[in-house]
Amino acid sequence: KMTCFTNLNLPVRIFEYLAMKKPVIAPRTRGIMDYFDESSLLFFEAGNADSLRDAILGAYHNTSRREYILNRGLTVYNNHRWELYKKRLIDVVENILPGDK
């Protein structure tokens, strides 16, 4: 069932699967589309079993498209790894806390 939360949610498992170099089939929701586009994940319409079936079969039958999308998804993953965000967070905190510089 779609709710405000499920529409805005970005499941961490998407990044986990990409880290394992697995192609991802995900619902086309706002939270996911904020990070990924049609060229970086395989999408289906949320709540639509036929759309999910078609996405699974499409991924199974079209190896080259699946690999292309996986590689694009890995690019998104690499740009959002914790190591990068950790540095940004530390920089922000260091800039707002008083102390020796």
Side-chain angles (χ1 to χ4, degrees), residues 22-83:
K22 302 292 182 192
V24 176
I25 299 173
R28 188 178 285 107
T29 61
R30 181 174 167 195
I32 295 170
M33 297 295 290
D34 282 345
Y35 289 83
F36 297 93
D37 62 20
E38 300 289 334
S39 69
S40 55
L41 288 185
L42 298 157
F43 285 102
F44 68 95
E45 295 304 320
N48 183 328
D50 291 337
S51 178
L52 176 58
R53 177 203 61 217
D54 293 345
I56 293 169
L57 291 174
Y60 177 77
H61 290 296
N62 193 336
T63 306
S64 61
R65 180 173 182 266
R66 183 179 68 231
E67 291 301 315
Y68 172 79
I69 288 175
L70 171 59
N71 287 325
R72 298 274 300 163
L74 286 169
T75 299
V76 175
Y77 163 75
N78 285 322
N79 290 330
H80 292 89
R81 289 185 340 269
W82 169 242
E83 292 84 8

Side-chain angles (χ1 to χ4, degrees), residues 77-94:
Y77 163 75
N78 285 322
N79 290 330
H80 292 89
R81 289 185 340 269
W82 169 242
E83 292 84 8
L84 300 176
Y85 277 85
K86 177 181 169 184
K87 179 173 176 9
R88 289 184 201 168
L89 179 61
I90 290 170
D91 289 346
V92 167
V93 171
E94 287 178 344

